């Protein structure tokens, strides 16, 4: 059998690559040569080695270069570029091919063809970990510090958001002078973590990101959440795999979301102004329930300025019970975020909910004031957007008049 993309020659010479595989291999070779010419440090080389795995075929992503093709070309090249290609597969390539890539890299090291930065790719021992949270305990970042054989340190940071159930939202490779430092007087928002807990928290957040992508792809491609540092994905998988198992993710993820049905029902039964339409008010309460479940703690009573901004600016406009005009792209009607009755009801009822939620949860007056201020600011922007939308809608019919008119 021959690797995918090759065919044996009748004369037994080197197999020929198909055009697509040849193009990918040329890209990889040129990239490795450019990296070698720059004389990178170990961190830059590590990032490169992780990023180029997108060109390599994996069992769950069979499209791409077969590892045997990469290693054959790395052997032909030799030198720093060939060592970089072999090291990339040895550290972050498909598991079943790492051993053969490591043997090839070791041969280059023994012959003096592999520079230190190439030999250091993927070489790391976990040292410690900590978690940083913002002043509201919402966005957080977990940094695991690693040490290379030469004694230098670097950190892998996994950013974890508070929305989308706490899905991971970014990777970063940080250096000794950056964010890898352990908690101290100069980082009051940080707390130490065991290496096992760091692994459990990061893997839970990454599983949630994967589940979110799968769910969103079923709805619309443009709804897939952004993820910073995706080129570090293979490095992150390898680094997290070096951590001990058996940790807990309870520091960020509750065993089960709190049931706030009683509080929401009580709020619905309370007296309210006559100007709040029943359908509009009910739509907002349903939005509160759903929004709370989409937060990491699943708590509709827990509010911070971050959550208020997201609720007013992005989430609640899609909960309007009134459909807008037919969409020119899909031919269907979507909720009208600028329906006057809905906007008026939300602007009246949501601050009342913030006060009710603060009373039920024992939230401080200072936090309530911050949340109310964020809501007022959000509604001000909402009204401006509604005005601009209305002006655009008034002018729109003229664009569709027949040319003869």
């Amino acid at each position: 059998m021959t690797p995918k993309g090759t065919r044996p020659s009748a004369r037994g010479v080197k197999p020929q690559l198909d055009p697509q595989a040849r193009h990918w291999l040329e890209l990889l070779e040129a990239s490795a040569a450019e990296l070698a010419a720059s004389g990178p440090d170990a961190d830059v080389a590590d990032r490169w080695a992780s990023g180029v795995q997108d060109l390599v075929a994996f069992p769950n992503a069979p499209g791409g270069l077969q590892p045997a093709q990469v290693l054959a070309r790395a052997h032909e090249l030799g030198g720093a570029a060939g060592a970089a290609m072999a090291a990339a597969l040895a550290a972050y390539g498909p598991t079943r091919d790492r051993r053969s890539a490591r043997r090839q890299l070791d041969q280059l090291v023994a012959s003096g063809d592999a520079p230190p930065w190439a030999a250091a790719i993927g070489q790391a021992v976990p040292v410690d970990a900590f978690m940083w949270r913002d002043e509201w305990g919402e966005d957080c970042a977990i940094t695991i510090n690693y040490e290379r054989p030469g004694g230098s340190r670097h950190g892998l940071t996994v950013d974890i958001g508070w929305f989308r159930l706490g899905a991971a939202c970014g990777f970063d490779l940080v250096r000794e002078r950056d964010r890898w430092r352990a908690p101290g007087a100069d980082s009051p928002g940080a707390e130490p973590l065991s290496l096992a807990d760091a692994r459990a928290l990061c893997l839970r957040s990454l599983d949630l990101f994967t589940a979110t992508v799968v769910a969103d792809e079923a709805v619309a491609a443009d709804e897939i959440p952004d993820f910073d540092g995706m080129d570090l994905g293979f490095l992150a998988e390898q680094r997290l795999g070096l951590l001990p198992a058996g940790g807990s993710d309870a520091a960020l993820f509750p065993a089960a979301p709190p049931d706030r049905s009683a509080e929401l029902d009580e709020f619905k039964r309370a007296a309210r102004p006559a100007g709040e339409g029943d359908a509009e008010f009910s739509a907002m309460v349903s939005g509160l329930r759903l929004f709370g479940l989409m937060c990491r703690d699943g708590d509709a009573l827990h509010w911070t300025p971050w959550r208020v901004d997201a609720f007013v600016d992005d989430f609640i406009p899609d909960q309007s019970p009134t459909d807008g005009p037919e969409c020119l792209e899909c031919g269907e009607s979507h909720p009208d975020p600028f329906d006057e009755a809905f906007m008026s009801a939300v602007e009246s009822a949501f601050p009342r909910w913030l006060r009710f939620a603060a009373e039920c949860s024992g939230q401080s007056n200072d936090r309530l004031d911050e949340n109310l201020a964020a809501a007022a600011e959000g509604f001000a922007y909402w009204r401006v957007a509604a005005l601009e939308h209305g002006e655009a809608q008034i002018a729109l019919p003229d664009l569709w008049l027949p040319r003869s008119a």
Side-chain angles (χ1 to χ4, degrees):
M1 296 180 65
T2 59
K4 179 182 177 182
T6 67
R7 53 185 175 84
S9 167
R11 298 181 179 180
V13 297
K14 183 175 63 176
Q16 298 297 308
L17 299 172
D18 64 45
Q20 182 67 69
R22 185 182 302 111
H23 174 66
W24 285 338
L25 194 57
E26 289 172 353
L27 286 178
L28 180 56
E29 179 183 341
S31 178
E34 183 179 357
L35 178 79
S38 70
D41 62 23
D43 288 349
V44 172
D46 251 328
R47 183 182 286 270
W48 173 87
S50 177
V52 297
Q53 300 303 322
D54 284 340
L55 298 172
V56 179
F58 281 74
N60 59 346
L65 291 167
Q66 293 299 315
Q69 297 170 338
V70 177
L71 291 177
R73 185 57 184 146
H75 179 74
E76 292 176 356
L77 281 177
M85 292 169 64
L89 284 184
Y92 310 125
T95 303
R96 64 190 181 191
D97 298 291
R98 290 183 185 180
R99 183 173 297 178
S100 58
R102 176 59 58 184
R103 286 197 299 266
Q104 185 165 316
L105 176 62
D106 290 342
Q107 292 171 1
L108 291 170
V109 170
S111 66
D113 268 352
W117 57 262
I121 289 175
Q123 299 298 304
V125 175
V127 177
D128 54 25
F130 70 94
M131 176 168 61
W132 172 90
R133 302 196 213 197
D134 66 22
E135 61 183 301
W136 298 304
E138 296 281 44
D139 283 340
C140 67
I142 294 174
T143 297
I144 305 106
N145 301 317
Y146 296 85
E147 187 172 294
R148 298 186 189 278
S152 65
R153 287 193 179 188
H154 63 285
L156 170 68
T157 292
V158 180
D159 290 322
I160 301 175
W162 56 269
F163 200 48
R164 295 182 182 274
L165 306 178
C169 52
F171 294 133
D172 198 7
L173 194 62
V174 295
R175 301 192 182 195
E176 190 168 341
R177 295 179 300 276
D178 208 340
R179 291 166 56 190
W180 69 267
R181 294 175 299 174
D186 58 345
S187 55
E191 56 190 277
L193 285 175
S194 72
L195 292 175
D197 285 354
R199 173 188 170 114
L201 287 163
C202 291
L203 292 182
R204 173 72 177 275
S205 69
L206 289 168
D207 285 345
L208 288 167
F209 174 79
T210 301
T212 300
V213 169
V214 170
D216 284 340
E217 281 184 332
V219 178
D222 60 359
E223 291 294 324
I224 297 175
D226 293 332
F227 195 101
D228 296 329
M230 188 64 82
D231 59 318
L232 291 171
F234 291 94
L235 181 149
E237 181 181 16
Q238 184 257 10
R239 293 292 197 275
L240 293 176
L242 299 175
L243 303 179
S248 169
D249 58 21
L252 291 179
F253 302 99
D259 184 359
R260 300 304 188 189
S261 299
E263 289 87 348
L264 288 163
D265 290 343
E266 180 181 348
F267 182 71
K268 288 181 70 173
R269 292 193 301 267
R272 55 190 176 89
E276 294 176 7
D278 292 340
E280 290 76 15
F281 178 77
S282 294
M284 192 207 74
V285 173
S286 296
L288 291 171
R289 187 189 307 272
L290 178 58
F291 183 84
L293 291 175
M294 294 180 70
C295 296
R296 189 173 60 225
D297 58 9
D299 193 352
L301 292 182
H302 180 197
W303 290 89
T304 66
W306 280 111
R307 299 194 185 195
V308 171
D309 285 343
F311 184 78
V312 174
D313 293 347
D314 300 320
F315 184 82
I316 195 60
D318 289 332
Q319 308 301 312
S320 170
T322 304
D323 287 337
E326 185 177 283
C327 176
L328 298 177
E329 294 183 0
C330 69
E332 298 180 359
S333 294
H334 304 297
D336 182 3
F338 303 117
D339 175 65
E340 184 176 349
F342 181 63
M343 293 178 65
S344 176
V346 173
E347 190 167 2
S348 170
F350 183 56
R352 197 167 67 252
W353 167 258
L354 291 177
R355 295 186 180 92
F356 177 85
E359 182 178 353
C360 291
S361 61
Q363 191 177 68
S364 70
N365 290 333
D366 289 343
R367 177 62 56 81
L368 174 59
D369 289 342
E370 289 179 320
N371 291 337
L372 291 172
E377 185 176 359
F379 290 133
Y381 283 121
W382 204 5
R383 286 192 295 271
V384 171
L387 181 62
E388 294 175 349
H389 177 78
E391 291 174 348
Q393 292 297 105
I394 291 172
L396 186 60
D398 293 339
L399 301 177
W400 295 94
L401 291 174
R403 185 175 295 274
S404 60

